[in-house]
Amino acid sequence: MQKIIFIYIMLIFSILIVTQISSAQLISYPASCYGDTETTNFEAFKACDRDSSTFWESGVGGFPHWLIVNFTSNYTFDGFSIFSNGPTHIDFQIPNGIGGWNTVQGFDTSCSGSNVIYTNFNLTTPSNLTNQIRLYATTGCVTFWDLRETLFSFAPIQSTPFQVPATISVIGWLLGLIALALFIFGAWKFPLSIFVSGLVTIFLGLQLFSETHSIIISSFVWLLGIFVILFGIWRVKGDLD
Protein backbone atom coordinates (compact mmCIF):
# COMPACT_ATOMS: atom_id res chain seq x y z
CA MET A 1 0.00 0.00 0.00
CA GLN A 2 2.83 2.40 0.79
CA LYS A 3 4.28 1.77 -2.67
CA ILE A 4 0.91 2.56 -4.30
CA ILE A 5 0.60 5.83 -2.36
CA PHE A 6 4.16 6.82 -3.28
CA ILE A 7 3.59 6.04 -6.98
CA TYR A 8 0.34 8.04 -7.00
CA ILE A 9 2.00 11.06 -5.38
CA MET A 10 4.86 10.95 -7.88
CA LEU A 11 2.43 10.66 -10.80
CA ILE A 12 0.38 13.70 -9.75
CA PHE A 13 3.42 15.92 -9.22
CA SER A 14 5.06 14.64 -12.42
CA ILE A 15 1.91 15.53 -14.37
CA LEU A 16 1.87 19.06 -12.97
CA ILE A 17 5.58 19.62 -13.58
CA VAL A 18 5.58 18.13 -17.09
CA THR A 19 2.47 20.14 -17.92
CA GLN A 20 4.26 23.31 -16.83
CA ILE A 21 7.24 22.53 -19.08
CA SER A 22 5.21 21.41 -22.09
CA SER A 23 2.87 24.37 -21.80
CA ALA A 24 5.79 26.74 -22.11
CA GLN A 25 6.56 25.16 -25.48
CA LEU A 26 3.03 25.40 -26.87
CA ILE A 27 1.30 28.09 -28.80
CA SER A 28 -1.22 29.84 -26.57
CA TYR A 29 -4.64 29.93 -28.22
CA PRO A 30 -7.04 32.69 -27.18
CA ALA A 31 -10.18 31.76 -25.26
CA SER A 32 -12.20 34.73 -26.53
CA CYS A 33 -11.80 38.17 -28.03
CA TYR A 34 -13.74 41.29 -28.93
CA GLY A 35 -12.98 44.43 -30.89
CA ASP A 36 -13.79 48.10 -30.90
CA THR A 37 -16.28 47.62 -33.76
CA GLU A 38 -17.39 44.86 -36.11
CA THR A 39 -19.41 44.46 -39.28
CA THR A 40 -22.29 42.08 -39.99
CA ASN A 41 -21.13 38.46 -40.49
CA PHE A 42 -17.56 39.46 -39.61
CA GLU A 43 -17.76 39.52 -35.81
CA ALA A 44 -14.69 39.98 -33.59
CA PHE A 45 -14.83 36.48 -32.06
CA LYS A 46 -13.95 35.05 -35.49
CA ALA A 47 -10.42 36.41 -35.04
CA CYS A 48 -9.96 33.87 -32.22
CA ASP A 49 -11.97 30.84 -33.39
CA ARG A 50 -9.01 28.87 -34.83
CA ASP A 51 -10.71 28.89 -38.22
CA SER A 52 -8.73 30.76 -40.86
CA SER A 53 -11.70 30.70 -43.24
CA THR A 54 -13.55 33.23 -41.04
CA PHE A 55 -12.38 36.69 -40.01
CA TRP A 56 -13.15 39.85 -38.08
CA GLU A 57 -13.65 43.09 -39.94
CA SER A 58 -13.82 46.27 -37.92
CA GLY A 59 -16.00 49.23 -38.79
CA VAL A 60 -14.83 51.61 -41.48
CA GLY A 61 -14.60 54.69 -39.27
CA GLY A 62 -10.82 54.86 -39.53
CA PHE A 63 -8.05 54.04 -37.10
CA PRO A 64 -7.39 53.44 -34.28
CA HIS A 65 -8.96 49.95 -34.11
CA TRP A 66 -8.26 47.42 -31.40
CA LEU A 67 -8.81 43.77 -30.47
CA ILE A 68 -8.85 42.56 -26.85
CA VAL A 69 -7.87 38.90 -26.43
CA ASN A 70 -8.58 36.80 -23.32
CA PHE A 71 -6.81 33.63 -22.17
CA THR A 72 -7.66 30.93 -19.63
CA SER A 73 -4.37 31.36 -17.73
CA ASN A 74 -1.64 33.91 -17.11
CA TYR A 75 1.27 33.89 -19.53
CA THR A 76 4.49 35.78 -20.15
CA PHE A 77 4.15 36.52 -23.86
CA ASP A 78 7.14 36.82 -26.15
CA GLY A 79 5.45 37.19 -29.51
CA PHE A 80 2.36 36.87 -31.66
CA SER A 81 1.32 36.10 -35.22
CA ILE A 82 -1.70 37.33 -37.13
CA PHE A 83 -3.52 36.87 -40.43
CA SER A 84 -4.20 40.54 -40.94
CA ASN A 85 -4.51 43.46 -43.32
CA GLY A 86 -5.08 47.15 -42.70
CA PRO A 87 -2.83 48.42 -39.87
CA THR A 88 0.56 50.00 -40.43
CA HIS A 89 1.37 50.25 -36.70
CA ILE A 90 0.26 47.85 -33.92
CA ASP A 91 0.92 48.24 -30.18
CA PHE A 92 1.07 45.10 -28.05
CA GLN A 93 -0.57 46.10 -24.75
CA ILE A 94 -1.39 44.53 -21.37
CA PRO A 95 -3.68 45.81 -18.56
CA ASN A 96 -2.13 48.34 -16.19
CA GLY A 97 -4.29 47.21 -13.25
CA ILE A 98 -6.32 50.42 -13.01
CA GLY A 99 -8.57 50.04 -16.02
CA GLY A 100 -6.12 51.15 -18.69
CA TRP A 101 -3.40 49.64 -20.85
CA ASN A 102 0.39 49.71 -20.94
CA THR A 103 2.19 49.32 -24.26
CA VAL A 104 4.82 46.58 -24.09
CA GLN A 105 6.12 47.19 -27.60
CA GLY A 106 5.00 48.81 -30.84
CA PHE A 107 5.42 47.34 -34.31
CA ASP A 108 5.43 48.98 -37.73
CA THR A 109 4.10 46.78 -40.51
CA SER A 110 3.35 47.13 -44.19
CA CYS A 111 -0.15 46.97 -45.60
CA SER A 112 0.05 43.72 -47.55
CA GLY A 113 -3.30 43.93 -49.29
CA SER A 114 -3.96 40.35 -48.19
CA ASN A 115 -5.20 38.88 -44.93
CA VAL A 116 -4.23 35.30 -45.71
CA ILE A 117 -0.54 35.49 -44.82
CA TYR A 118 0.80 35.11 -41.28
CA THR A 119 2.93 37.99 -40.03
CA ASN A 120 5.13 37.27 -37.00
CA PHE A 121 5.97 39.85 -34.32
CA ASN A 122 8.58 39.10 -31.65
CA LEU A 123 8.80 41.06 -28.40
CA THR A 124 12.35 42.12 -27.53
CA THR A 125 11.37 41.84 -23.85
CA PRO A 126 8.67 39.35 -22.72
CA SER A 127 5.57 40.88 -21.20
CA ASN A 128 4.60 40.60 -17.56
CA LEU A 129 2.24 37.81 -16.56
CA THR A 130 -1.23 38.47 -17.92
CA ASN A 131 -4.35 36.64 -19.11
CA GLN A 132 -5.48 39.51 -21.34
CA ILE A 133 -3.80 41.52 -24.08
CA ARG A 134 -4.85 44.19 -26.51
CA LEU A 135 -3.66 44.67 -30.07
CA TYR A 136 -4.05 48.39 -30.64
CA ALA A 137 -3.65 49.53 -34.25
CA THR A 138 -3.07 53.27 -34.38
CA THR A 139 -2.63 53.82 -38.12
CA GLY A 140 -3.53 52.00 -41.31
CA CYS A 141 -3.51 52.16 -45.07
CA VAL A 142 -7.28 51.70 -45.19
CA THR A 143 -10.09 52.70 -42.83
CA PHE A 144 -10.79 49.20 -41.45
CA TRP A 145 -8.96 46.19 -40.03
CA ASP A 146 -9.36 42.67 -41.45
CA LEU A 147 -8.05 40.08 -39.00
CA ARG A 148 -8.48 36.43 -39.89
CA GLU A 149 -6.75 34.71 -36.96
CA THR A 150 -4.47 35.43 -33.98
CA LEU A 151 -1.82 33.22 -32.38
CA PHE A 152 0.39 34.01 -29.40
CA SER A 153 3.58 32.45 -28.08
CA PHE A 154 4.85 32.77 -24.56
CA ALA A 155 8.22 32.59 -22.90
CA PRO A 156 9.27 29.72 -20.60
CA ILE A 157 8.51 30.53 -16.98
CA GLN A 158 11.50 31.29 -14.79
CA SER A 159 11.07 29.09 -11.72
CA THR A 160 11.38 30.71 -8.30
CA PRO A 161 10.93 29.04 -4.90
CA PHE A 162 7.34 28.64 -3.66
CA GLN A 163 5.88 30.33 -6.74
CA VAL A 164 2.89 28.76 -8.48
CA PRO A 165 3.93 28.28 -12.14
CA ALA A 166 2.03 30.62 -14.42
CA THR A 167 1.38 27.90 -16.98
CA ILE A 168 -0.87 26.08 -14.49
CA SER A 169 -3.58 28.01 -12.71
CA VAL A 170 -4.10 27.95 -8.96
CA ILE A 171 -7.22 25.85 -9.61
CA GLY A 172 -5.10 23.19 -11.32
CA TRP A 173 -2.67 22.99 -8.41
CA LEU A 174 -5.50 22.90 -5.86
CA LEU A 175 -7.22 20.05 -7.69
CA GLY A 176 -3.96 18.12 -7.74
CA LEU A 177 -3.31 18.66 -4.03
CA ILE A 178 -6.91 17.81 -3.11
CA ALA A 179 -6.69 14.60 -5.12
CA LEU A 180 -3.47 13.68 -3.29
CA ALA A 181 -4.92 14.47 0.14
CA LEU A 182 -8.05 12.42 -0.52
CA PHE A 183 -6.04 9.47 -1.81
CA ILE A 184 -3.74 9.44 1.22
CA PHE A 185 -6.68 9.81 3.62
CA GLY A 186 -8.53 7.01 1.86
CA ALA A 187 -5.54 4.66 1.94
CA TRP A 188 -5.02 5.44 5.62
CA LYS A 189 -8.54 5.33 7.03
CA PHE A 190 -11.56 5.91 4.76
CA PRO A 191 -11.40 3.98 1.45
CA LEU A 192 -14.33 5.90 -0.06
CA SER A 193 -12.02 8.93 -0.24
CA ILE A 194 -9.94 7.08 -2.82
CA PHE A 195 -13.00 6.94 -5.07
CA VAL A 196 -13.57 10.69 -4.58
CA SER A 197 -9.87 11.28 -5.31
CA GLY A 198 -10.36 9.62 -8.68
CA LEU A 199 -13.24 11.96 -9.49
CA VAL A 200 -11.13 14.98 -8.55
CA THR A 201 -8.35 13.65 -10.78
CA ILE A 202 -10.82 13.52 -13.68
CA PHE A 203 -11.64 17.19 -13.07
CA LEU A 204 -7.90 17.91 -12.91
CA GLY A 205 -7.59 16.45 -16.40
CA LEU A 206 -10.36 18.73 -17.66
CA GLN A 207 -8.69 21.75 -16.07
CA LEU A 208 -5.30 20.91 -17.58
CA PHE A 209 -6.86 20.46 -21.00
CA SER A 210 -8.50 23.90 -20.79
CA GLU A 211 -5.13 25.44 -19.88
CA THR A 212 -2.69 23.51 -22.10
CA HIS A 213 -4.88 22.22 -24.96
CA SER A 214 -2.80 19.03 -24.78
CA ILE A 215 -4.94 15.93 -25.33
CA ILE A 216 -1.97 13.67 -24.52
CA ILE A 217 -1.43 15.05 -21.01
CA SER A 218 -5.16 15.29 -20.33
CA SER A 219 -5.83 11.72 -21.52
CA PHE A 220 -3.09 10.42 -19.24
CA VAL A 221 -4.66 12.25 -16.28
CA TRP A 222 -8.11 10.90 -17.16
CA LEU A 223 -6.76 7.34 -17.34
CA LEU A 224 -5.10 7.86 -13.97
CA GLY A 225 -8.42 9.10 -12.57
CA ILE A 226 -10.24 6.04 -13.89
CA PHE A 227 -7.60 3.76 -12.36
CA VAL A 228 -7.95 5.51 -8.98
CA ILE A 229 -11.76 5.22 -9.13
CA LEU A 230 -11.52 1.47 -9.84
CA PHE A 231 -8.94 1.10 -7.08
CA GLY A 232 -11.27 2.94 -4.68
CA ILE A 233 -14.18 0.67 -5.60
CA TRP A 234 -11.98 -2.36 -5.00
CA ARG A 235 -10.91 -1.06 -1.58
CA VAL A 236 -14.49 -0.24 -0.54
CA LYS A 237 -15.69 -3.65 -1.73
CA GLY A 238 -12.89 -5.31 0.23
CA ASP A 239 -13.94 -3.52 3.44
CA LEU A 240 -17.56 -4.49 2.92
CA ASP A 241 -16.61 -8.12 2.41
Side-chain angles (χ1 to χ4, degrees):
M1 179 58 64
Q2 290 180 340
K3 290 182 178 180
I4 292 176
I5 295 174
F6 177 76
I7 291 172
Y8 183 70
I9 292 174
M10 291 299 100
L11 281 173
I12 289 292
F13 275 103
S14 296
I15 288 168
L16 293 174
I17 292 172
V18 169
T19 301
Q20 176 194 349
I21 296 173
S22 62
S23 295
Q25 298 170 344
L26 291 175
I27 293 294
S28 175
Y29 292 100
S32 63
C33 59
Y34 59 95
D36 62 307
T37 55
E38 58 187 27
T39 56
T40 304
N41 298 324
F42 301 102
E43 297 83 2
F45 77 86
K46 293 180 179 179
C48 300
D49 61 359
R50 305 191 205 179
D51 183 356
S52 59
S53 67
T54 64
F55 63 93
W56 163 57
E57 183 175 283
S58 71
V60 295
F63 285 83
H65 292 300
W66 48 260
L67 184 78
I68 292 178
V69 186
N70 301 302
F71 300 86
T72 57
S73 299
N74 288 324
Y75 297 101
T76 301
F77 292 99
D78 61 5
F80 65 100
S81 300
I82 56 176
F83 274 124
S84 175
N85 181 55
T88 54
H89 183 88
I90 301 174
D91 288 333
F92 184 94
Q93 301 178 329
I94 62 175
N96 62 9
I98 55 175
W101 299 86
N102 288 331
T103 297
V104 178
Q105 188 172 336
F107 300 91
D108 291 319
T109 180
S110 61
C111 196
S112 64
S114 172
N115 63 352
V116 295
I117 301 174
Y118 264 124
T119 302
N120 299 318
F121 301 92
N122 297 313
L123 299 176
T124 55
T125 302
S127 71
N128 293 331
L129 288 173
T130 180
N131 62 0
Q132 186 179 67
I133 64 95
R134 182 170 76 162
L135 298 181
Y136 189 78
T138 56
T139 60
C141 56
V142 290
T143 61
F144 56 90
W145 189 358
D146 280 347
L147 206 164
R148 191 171 290 269
E149 201 63 36
T150 60
L151 295 174
F152 297 82
S153 63
F154 51 95
I157 302 301
Q158 301 298 319
S159 298
T160 55
F162 307 108
Q163 179 179 351
V164 177
T167 49
I168 302 177
S169 68
V170 174
I171 294 176
W173 279 97
L174 285 176
L175 287 172
L177 293 175
I178 290 172
L180 280 175
L182 288 171
F183 187 88
I184 294 173
F185 179 70
W188 169 58
K189 189 171 184 180
F190 195 52
L192 186 60
S193 293
I194 298 176
F195 176 82
V196 179
S197 174
L199 295 178
V200 175
T201 303
I202 296 294
F203 282 105
L204 173 61
L206 292 172
Q207 180 67 23
L208 292 179
F209 180 73
S210 70
E211 296 178 9
T212 66
H213 307 290
S214 173
I215 191 64
I216 296 176
I217 292 174
S218 303
S219 297
F220 181 78
V221 177
W222 291 328
L223 288 174
L224 176 62
I226 293 172
F227 169 77
V228 173
I229 289 173
L230 294 176
F231 180 68
I233 294 174
W234 176 74
R235 282 296 309 275
V236 171
K237 185 177 181 299
D239 283 2
L240 292 177
D241 293 340

